[in-house]
């Protein structure tokens, strides 16, 4: 068995404002159950990083943070800030001017020059897209204004230790940010001497931007030379950071990886990702690309569930839940996993089952279910659950960075609260 430098780890997945709101429900329920203060490591990705970083900067009580964050997710639109930014307006005017010029030229005696203008536009977009329209800088400034107020990684609370995850296109590995270090295992073990970064003055808003930097849409985040421990190392490597969900959208990798300083014995994973719904509408290349990316992300999710939950029999207790799950299936899912020997013995022993039932759980599923209904307060939790229409509204919430309606926020929070309590009571009963 591996040594565990930390006891309890919590991971918050990606998913834009939808995830940010969903994870508020997770944090709220953990606070209510007296568990939030016990979290040693908080591992976050993308939308989870928005909420996680804000919580790890907060100095007051949880209730005040919760209400402030709800208000921010309702009223503060990052998309609106982008549209009204000078960078967006400048880029729009540039493209519009060149297109207008090209179209005008086609109706003059210099019509052949229109091809040169079109070629110039394409060249500028391909060669200098991220310099002309560096939308990531706008989002970083907006995050800073809305949530982080110019704070740096060093100013994060010591507990829980926040680990913000991104994906490094330079190495094909995760790149993580915390108050203690900025790191990529490739730079630590494959370079001699190892490359070390300085987190002390690195802006939290930039780390969250790197964590939520959606490929194809946002500009990749680079690390300036000021943040290298050795100035010459800036010439040796060039990290190119994009959304952490490209490598690990659940944020679970860092806190389950052996020999990691972030490794935890007990894990809670809040996943705001939706299911993969049948869809036959691919009218163009962009739609096909987005659908392919969704399939890729869903494949990562199912692979991680298999690795960290269903094949974790000899491992640590892990309470995993996802936005698209229905409460009523969680209990039957636990019983099935238990009868299939997919629940760690440590967890089963805490539930106080009759020894005779455990000899062959398949023969005693009804008794096991009845016992759990009482011990995990199943009926109380089910009564608080969303109805079908409310769940549909929550699960179909977009993953963009646009302000959410109060109903959507409340439904996402409530569903997360119920899933959190039920799955923790089932898979991590020792925490209650």
């Amino acid at each position: 068995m591996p040594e565990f430098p930390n006891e309890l780890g919590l991971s918050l997945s990606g998913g834009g404002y939808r995830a940010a709101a969903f994870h508020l429900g997770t944090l709220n329920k953990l606070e209510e159950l007296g568990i939030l203060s016990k979290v040693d490591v908080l591992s976050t990705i993308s939308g989870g990083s928005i909420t996680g970083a804000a919580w790890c900067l907060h100095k007051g009580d949880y209730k005040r943070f919760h209400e402030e964050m709800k208000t921010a997710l309702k009223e503060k639109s990052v998309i609106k800030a982008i549209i009204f930014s000078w960078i967006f307006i400048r880029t729009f005017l540039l493209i519009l001017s060149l297109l207008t010029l090209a179209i005008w030229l086609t109706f003059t005696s210099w019509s052949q020059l229109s091809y040169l203008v079109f070629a110039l536009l394409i060249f500028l977009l391909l060669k200098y897209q991220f310099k002309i329209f560096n939308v990531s800088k706008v989002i970083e400034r907006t995050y800073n204004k809305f949530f982080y107020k110019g704070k740096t990684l060093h100013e994060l609370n010591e507990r829980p230790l926040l680990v913000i995850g991104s994906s490094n296109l330079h190495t094909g590995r995760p790149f993580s940010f915390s108050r203690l270090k900025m790191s990529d295992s490739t730079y630590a073990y494959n370079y001699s001497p190892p490359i070390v970064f300085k987190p002390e003055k690195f802006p939290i808003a930039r780390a969250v931007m790197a964590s939520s930097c959606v490929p194809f849409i946002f500009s990749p985040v680079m690390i300036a030379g000021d943040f290298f421990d050795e100035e010459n190392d800036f010439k040796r490597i060039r990290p190119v950071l994009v959304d952490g969900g490209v490598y690990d959208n659940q944020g679970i990798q860092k806190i389950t990886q052996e020999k990691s300083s972030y490794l935890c014995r007990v894990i809670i994973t809040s996943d705001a990702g939706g299911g993969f719904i049948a869809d036959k509408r691919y009218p163009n290349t962009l739609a096909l690309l987005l659908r392919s990316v969704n399939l890729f992300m869903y494949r990562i999710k199912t692979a991680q569930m298999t690795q960290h939950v269903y094949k974790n029999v000899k491992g640590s207790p892990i309470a995993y839940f996802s936005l698209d799950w229905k409460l009523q299936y969680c209990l039957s899912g636990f019983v099935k996993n238990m009868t299939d020997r997919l629940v760690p013995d440590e967890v089963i022993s805490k539930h106080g089952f009759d020894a005779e039932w455990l000899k062959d759980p398949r023969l005693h599923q009804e008794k096991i279910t009845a016992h759990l209904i009482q011990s995990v307060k199943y009926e109380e939790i089910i009564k608080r659950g969303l109805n079908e229409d409310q769940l549909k509204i929550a699960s179909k919430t977009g993953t963009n960075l646009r302000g959410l309606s109060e109903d959507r926020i409340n439904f996402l929070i409530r569903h997360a609260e119920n899933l959190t309590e039920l799955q923790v009571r089932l898979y991590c009963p020792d925490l209650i």
Side-chain angles (χ1 to χ4, degrees):
M1 292 292 290
E3 293 184 8
F4 297 97
N6 307 286
E7 177 65 12
L8 178 59
L10 170 63
S11 68
L12 307 179
S13 78
Y17 267 19
R18 179 178 76 188
F22 184 78
H23 300 319
L24 266 184
T26 300
L27 296 180
N28 199 44
K29 179 55 66 171
L30 293 178
E31 170 68 11
E32 181 185 311
L33 295 172
I35 296 173
L36 188 58
S37 61
K38 299 176 184 178
V39 175
D40 296 303
V41 180
L42 177 58
S43 174
T44 65
I45 300 292
S46 194
S49 297
I50 295 174
T51 295
W55 166 237
C56 289
L57 275 176
H58 187 72
K59 303 298 182 184
D61 62 285
Y62 177 81
K63 185 176 181 181
R64 182 162 65 87
F65 161 77
H66 187 85
E67 292 306 318
E68 289 175 354
M69 198 66 189
K70 274 183 66 175
T71 300
L73 293 175
K74 182 172 65 173
E75 298 178 356
K76 299 182 183 299
S77 172
V78 177
I79 300 299
K80 184 178 179 180
I82 293 172
I83 293 173
F84 287 96
S85 69
W86 168 239
I87 289 178
F88 180 86
I89 294 171
R90 180 189 67 190
T91 305
F92 176 77
L93 291 175
L94 173 63
I95 295 173
L96 181 62
S97 299
L98 289 176
L99 285 175
T100 302
L101 176 59
I103 293 170
W104 177 78
L105 285 171
T106 59
F107 297 100
T108 69
S109 56
W110 302 296
S111 59
Q112 291 192 357
L113 290 177
S114 64
Y115 297 110
L116 291 177
V117 177
F118 276 121
L120 175 63
L121 178 59
I122 294 171
F123 171 78
L124 290 174
L125 291 177
L126 291 177
K127 183 73 174 178
Y128 300 106
Q129 175 189 341
F130 296 138
K131 290 184 178 180
I132 295 172
F133 185 44
N134 193 342
V135 67
S136 294
K137 281 192 175 181
V138 180
I139 297 176
E140 180 187 333
R141 288 200 296 265
T142 306
Y143 281 162
N144 206 32
K145 179 182 177 182
F146 289 173
F147 305 110
Y148 311 121
K149 313 303 180 187
K151 301 293 186 180
T152 65
L153 292 175
H154 191 65
E155 295 176 88
L156 290 164
N157 296 334
E158 292 184 19
R159 184 181 175 87
L161 178 60
L162 176 67
V163 187
I164 300 172
S166 65
S167 304
N168 189 354
L169 298 182
H170 178 230
T171 63
R173 296 287 301 166
F175 190 103
S176 59
F177 302 85
S178 76
R179 69 184 304 275
L180 301 179
K181 62 181 178 179
M182 294 161 52
S183 61
D184 177 322
S185 59
T186 303
Y187 299 146
Y189 299 107
N190 292 9
Y191 284 79
S192 183
I195 293 169
V196 180
F197 302 91
K198 298 187 293 187
E200 293 85 2
K201 295 184 179 180
F202 197 87
I204 292 174
R206 192 170 304 168
V208 175
M209 178 61 245
S211 182
S212 57
C213 184
V214 180
F216 315 117
I217 301 175
F218 302 152
S219 323
V221 175
M222 311 295 186
I223 297 180
D226 297 345
F227 301 108
F228 284 76
D229 200 44
E230 294 292 335
E231 189 175 340
N232 288 335
D233 285 345
F234 179 68
K235 300 175 183 178
R236 297 170 63 195
I237 64 166
R238 189 58 60 89
V240 180
L241 308 182
V242 296
D243 196 302
V246 173
Y247 193 92
D248 168 28
N249 197 46
Q250 283 66 49
I252 199 173
Q253 191 259 355
K254 281 292 178 187
I255 54 178
T256 56
Q257 187 178 32
E258 289 190 25
K259 299 182 180 180
S260 168
S261 61
Y262 305 121
L263 178 67
C264 298
R265 190 184 74 82
V266 181
I267 308 289
I268 300 171
T269 295
S270 178
D271 181 9
F276 196 74
I277 302 171
D279 185 4
K280 297 181 180 180
R281 296 169 296 175
Y282 321 119
N284 53 57
T285 302
L286 179 60
L288 186 62
L289 175 63
L290 291 174
R291 182 64 171 176
S292 300
V293 170
N294 287 338
L295 175 59
F296 173 68
M297 300 296 287
Y298 184 74
R299 179 68 185 89
I300 293 175
K301 172 180 176 174
T302 54
Q304 287 186 319
M305 284 180 60
T306 300
Q307 177 183 352
H308 298 297
V309 181
Y310 300 129
K311 291 186 177 179
N312 189 45
V313 182
K314 296 181 180 179
S316 307
I318 296 182
Y320 188 111
F321 50 91
S322 181
L323 167 62
D324 63 314
W325 288 9
K326 294 185 177 180
L327 278 174
Q328 57 266 38
Y329 296 147
C330 291
L331 185 67
S332 58
F334 178 86
V335 174
K336 182 180 186 305
N337 289 339
M338 180 179 162
T339 56
D340 291 342
R341 309 292 182 183
L342 297 177
V343 178
D345 291 340
E346 174 188 342
V347 173
I348 294 175
S349 67
K350 298 295 182 182
H351 279 294
F353 296 121
D354 189 294
E356 190 65 28
W357 303 348
L358 300 180
K359 291 180 181 178
D360 191 347
R362 293 182 185 277
L363 300 177
H364 303 280
Q365 289 188 42
E366 289 186 7
K367 294 178 181 178
I368 291 171
T369 300
H371 176 86
L372 287 171
I373 286 174
Q374 295 298 319
S375 65
V376 304
K377 301 184 177 181
Y378 176 74
E379 291 181 348
E380 291 181 29
I381 298 171
I382 287 294
K383 286 179 182 178
R384 300 195 298 264
L386 303 181
N387 61 39
E388 286 292 329
D389 290 337
Q390 292 169 336
L391 182 57
K392 187 178 293 184
I393 290 172
S395 60
K396 288 192 173 183
T397 302
T399 58
N400 53 46
L401 300 173
R402 185 174 57 194
L404 303 175
S405 71
E406 187 153 0
D407 277 349
R408 285 187 184 276
I409 294 174
N410 289 334
F411 294 156
L412 286 163
I413 288 175
R414 207 167 103 206
H415 192 46
E417 288 174 342
N418 294 327
L419 285 170
T420 300
E421 180 171 1
L422 185 53
Q423 289 297 91
V424 168
R425 287 187 181 278
L426 286 170
Y427 289 90
C428 300
D430 230 13
L431 293 177
I432 304 295

